[in-house]
Amino acid sequence: MRNLQRGLLLAAAGLAFAAAAAGCADGDPRFEEAWSSLPPVALDQVAAYVERGTATVFLLDPADPKLRPHTVALAKDPALAVRRNGHDELLVLSRGEPGKPGVKSEPAELTLIPGAPGKHDQVRRYRLATSFTSLVQSSDGRFVIAFFGPGTKAGSGILFNPNEIAIVDLAASPQAVPVARTVRSFGGVPLNIVFSPELNLPEGKRTLAVVLSDNYVTLLDLDNPRRPEITVPLTLGTDNRMRRPVQVLFETRDKEPAAYVRAEGAQDIYVLRLSPATDRETTTNDFIPSLSQLTAGAQPLDMALIGEANDPRLLVLMATGDAWLFDALTSRATRISLAELGVTTAEPAPNRIYLFEAQGPGDPRSRPRALLLGQGNARRSVTFLELERLEEQRSKNLDLRPMGAPAQNVHFFPQQGIALVQHAQVPGGAGGAGFSVIDLARRTVAPIFASVSVERITLGTAPGGAAMKPGKVWIAPASGGGELDSHLGFLDLGSFSPGDVRLDARVGQILPLGSGSDGKRRVLVDHGLVAGHVTVIDADDPKRATARTVSGFMLNDLLQRGAR
């Protein structure tokens, strides 16, 4: 393994910190910031690191022989960095600086940075009026909403409004100003925000945001962000029981689409049918939600929409272990009992639905199907469910497979035809199942043993584009495994052949990248050191002999950055 910046960087680090300390001795507040960084973010060709104290993004390109990062300055106090959905761009939310003796105030900001080498300086900046703590974005990356996440406490100011949000349309002009507004409150605060796909509303296709709060939801028209919000209570005024919305699905039929809301503490699924507003004198919105409920007498655990867009049905897993199929327009309900498979009530109910299309045993045709799993409970089986003719076939469409250990987490890759089930711990130590590989077409459940518990599983990028099967998944061992803490594990998805690469430091974040400027695919392994320490691995031929490391890259130009 080649280490590019070993002794020189350590010496430079000592000099930099000595100079910084000298600055502190003079009382210069520029050098009083705590040294910390946000979790790294993988873009197509580069990995992005955000150092909070000097508010700097480091874009590390592993195709660069020198591994010298490109830097971009941010507004003060960067709090969150994520990849923009559907784009090779980095989104950074900075909270700004309220000002203090010797330090000027600085507004909060949303920064958009292109990931492609050579375009890093084409930065777009959106000034925010409030120091928000959380971001959510639509699936296509067009809309971003900044808000205060649950549990946010007052920051540097005396007061803050937890129902304030800012809406940013990233498809609009770069000079567009975020729309700041306060969401109507019935005593609650936003818990989460969910985006709809484009819905067929009376005045044309548009995207809605659904703000989830205890006992009510709020609808916002993102294409008309200054129109009044629509608030829908989930309880009557005399009902003191808690209804916490946790899941929203959208029915996209040509006329009168709907939103389905699942809430903890409720035995009902709430249906919000979006009908044309007939009295435009009392509302500026062109639609109005009408509320109805679907009831099966138990707590719903998960739900999924199946069928055609204009004839959808709602599949719901219940705490009783049964599945129900609802037609919201006709109120028809069909019960699918898992007890008919011999499943006893002693085993926890499946609580996750994963939809896919694939062939089946003895069936060469690709059809819509579902995988039912118990995630985070003691269930030791998986269930395949045929979705065609489900009302008629009911439990005949079920196919049960045993699994060696309960599922802690599930990594679902329908395009690759597999699901990776991560198990809670290694049963009995060495030789226990770390995770299981489920082949969706052949319906096999193959255990992969591990010497230590598995902490993270990350899907690699496709060798020739997203349509092709990826070569590998990458595995990080849980800390506490001794010398294996520094081993990067991998599994070939074609042969299910495992392997690992020994590194020189503990495996932290795993960042698979796409093809670089030289056509090679790489994986960056972050080792968690505050000044930056990563190892670059060849994704197609992972070997220790060809790995490269770089340390201390966030110390580059430290004094110049601290002085700006």
Side-chain angles (χ1 to χ4, degrees), residues 91-137:
L91 279 170
V92 183
L93 176 67
S94 299
R95 303 199 69 196
E97 169 59 61
K100 55 187 175 182
V103 178
K104 294 181 179 179
S105 63
E106 187 174 326
E109 184 177 271
L110 178 67
T111 308
L112 187 66
I113 304 171
K119 297 184 178 180
H120 298 328
D121 292 325
Q122 299 176 16
V123 179
R124 292 160 62 183
R125 302 179 187 273
Y126 299 85
R127 179 171 293 187
L128 303 174
T130 303
S131 298
F132 297 103
T133 61
S134 298
L135 279 182
V136 287
Q137 52 179 321

Side-chain angles (χ1 to χ4, degrees), residues 418 420 435 437 448-450 452 454 456-461 470-477 484 486-503 507 510 512 521 523 525 537-547:
I418 64 169
L420 297 181
F435 56 94
V437 182
I448 302 296
F449 283 20
V452 295
V454 172
R456 282 182 303 280
I457 297 176
T458 304
L459 178 67
T461 59
K472 300 175 180 66
V473 290
W474 303 91
I475 298 111
L484 292 179
S486 61
H487 284 235
L488 173 67
F490 60 86
L491 180 72
D492 187 287
L493 292 178
S495 63
F496 293 159
S497 176
D500 65 61
V501 179
R502 180 174 65 85
L503 307 179
V507 174
I510 305 172
R521 296 184 308 130
V523 174
V525 179
I537 305 288
D538 186 326
D540 298 310
D541 188 20
K543 295 179 180 178
R544 175 178 171 82
T546 57

Side-chain angles (χ1 to χ4, degrees), residues 178-208:
V179 176
R181 60 181 300 165
T182 294
V183 178
R184 181 187 300 116
S185 174
F186 289 164
V189 299
L191 304 171
N192 196 7
I193 301 174
V194 179
F195 294 87
S196 78
E198 280 195 334
L199 301 177
N200 292 302
L201 298 172
E203 292 181 357
K205 291 186 175 182
R206 299 200 301 286
T207 301
L208 303 182

